Amino acid sequence: MQRRTFHLAALTLLAQQAGLSLAQETYPARPLKIIVPYPAGGVVDVQTRAMTQGLAAELGQAVVVEARPGANGNIATEAVARAPADGYTLLVSAPFLINNPMIETNLRWAPKDFVPVARFSMSPSFMCVPAASPAKTVREYVEMARRAKPMLQFGDPGPGTTQTMSVEILKSTAGIELEAVTYKGAPPIALDLMSNTFSMSVLPSSVAFPHVKSGKLRALATTSAVRSAQLPDVPTMAEAGYPDVTVISWYGLHAPANTPAAVLRKLEAAIKAAMQKPEAQTRLVSAGGEAAYLGSEEFNRFLASDTQMWERINRTLRK
């Protein structure tokens, strides 16, 4: 009886392993869902959709992009952390994944709940003012903010975003005070900035470009380390005299921890192939970004370096 029980247990284990292996070999057998923690139509959503067209073709399955904004990215992040670790529900990650645990308490997720799949793009941001603003440079805006009573307001997409952190670094290094007007995402900020609801905002490139080119907003500087090819006359923050305000947004995919390695490898390879195609790169540029693929291991090293940078920034802001 014991031998028979042992044989049955062994057969059950082999069947489970075979089923798991088959599931991994046939992955994906159904559509994938990629959850974006920001509003539809915003920079993260637009660049994600630019990437997923090629990803769907590589995987041979539909890829559904679902915008789930709110709570500075935490609603979407918690949902993916609790999803099955099977490769069918993925999170679009950005610097909030690093920064939120440093500045927020009582999060219902932690970085250890995720594993990096790949980085697919990077995107500059621009410090913008209304076209009618008297400020033509960053220094002029700083002087205007110093003299303003009551203090000037700025459009704020939420704590932990690279755009908000750029403003916080500027406030700290320039010695100015600004009042935040908080929104859920950048598109509505741009609309209110054009109507002079507040004095300034740092906007992601995909949101800033059309309004700057139409003349409705003025870009004073980019937070990137180099000038944008699409707005070459706009200086960097370093060129404008504020080198500490050099903050770059990146976007990638993370999966729930314990996702099978074979599934992660297939996703990584598919993203790499998708991002190598000229049409995907063109779509990203038109969405205000640039293809910046990193595989899982390189992405993990990049995240470690980025974490150190944000730790330094947060220490500076707490002083």
Side-chain angles (χ1 to χ4, degrees):
M1 178 64 72
Q2 289 180 344
R3 180 177 297 179
R4 183 178 180 183
T5 301
F6 173 79
H7 285 165
L8 286 172
L11 287 171
T12 300
L13 178 60
L14 287 171
Q16 290 174 342
Q17 292 175 339
L20 177 60
S21 176
L22 181 61
Q24 292 175 3
E25 288 175 4
T26 57
Y27 172 88
R30 52 188 170 86
L32 280 67
K33 179 188 291 185
I34 294 180
I35 297 182
V36 178
Y38 297 108
V43 59
V44 188
D45 179 73
V46 172
Q47 292 195 28
T48 299
R49 293 177 190 276
M51 178 273 296
T52 55
Q53 293 182 44
L55 179 62
E58 292 295 327
L59 293 175
Q61 281 288 352
V63 178
V64 179
V65 178
E66 178 183 324
R68 199 178 297 185
N72 194 27
N74 293 321
I75 293 174
T77 307
E78 182 183 347
V80 177
R82 295 183 176 184
D86 55 11
Y88 288 97
T89 304
L90 305 171
L91 174 72
V92 174
S93 53
F96 76 87
L97 198 68
I98 293 172
N99 206 26
N100 283 12
M102 297 183 189
I103 63 175
E104 298 186 39
T105 58
N106 300 320
L107 290 178
R108 291 187 286 186
W109 60 269
K112 65 179 178 60
D113 296 329
F114 301 93
V115 59
V117 179
R119 189 186 74 183
F120 60 86
S121 75
M122 298 187 77
S123 179
S125 294
F126 293 85
M127 179 179 172
C128 295
V129 296
S133 172
K136 302 295 193 297
T137 67
V138 179
R139 288 195 183 279
E140 289 181 1
Y141 180 83
V142 167
E143 289 304 316
M144 187 171 73
R146 284 177 177 154
R147 295 192 303 267
K149 291 183 180 179
M151 73 176 68
L152 298 180
Q153 295 180 322
F154 74 97
D156 174 18
T161 62
T162 54
Q163 291 79 29
T164 297
M165 294 306 288
S166 297
V167 176
E168 293 300 325
I169 298 168
L170 177 64
K171 286 166 58 179
S172 176
T173 56
I176 59 175
E177 293 294 328
L178 298 169
E179 181 182 359
V181 180
T182 304
Y183 288 73
K184 290 184 178 180
I189 292 178
L191 294 177
D192 281 355
L193 184 60
M194 286 186 286
S195 63
N196 291 288
T197 301
F198 37 81
S199 68
M200 178 272 290
S201 185
V202 175
L203 298 172
S205 52
S206 66
V207 175
F209 280 161
H211 304 306
V212 171
K213 290 181 177 179
S214 70
K216 296 177 181 178
L217 292 179
R218 179 185 304 125
L220 302 184
T222 173
T223 63
S224 182
V226 296
R227 293 193 182 201
S228 166
Q230 296 197 45
L231 293 175
D233 295 332
V234 177
T236 65
M237 289 297 292
E239 291 172 329
Y242 299 92
D244 290 340
V245 194
T246 301
V247 183
I248 304 171
S249 296
W250 52 263
Y251 307 115
L253 287 183
H254 273 69
N258 300 317
T259 298
V263 170
L264 294 173
R265 286 194 297 270
K266 191 158 190 178
L267 282 167
E268 180 183 356
I271 296 168
K272 181 178 182 179
M275 298 315 301
Q276 287 176 336
K277 294 181 177 178
E279 55 268 31
Q281 297 175 16
T282 300
R283 285 195 297 266
L284 273 174
V285 170
S286 66
E290 59 183 41
Y293 171 82
L294 287 180
S296 179
E297 291 186 6
E298 292 175 296
F299 190 19
N300 206 32
R301 288 193 291 271
F302 169 83
L303 291 169
S305 175
D306 211 45
T307 298
Q308 292 178 349
M309 181 196 74
W310 283 109
E311 286 173 341
R312 288 194 300 270
I313 290 173
N314 281 296
R315 281 197 299 269
T316 299
L317 294 177
R318 283 194 293 267
K319 290 180 180 179

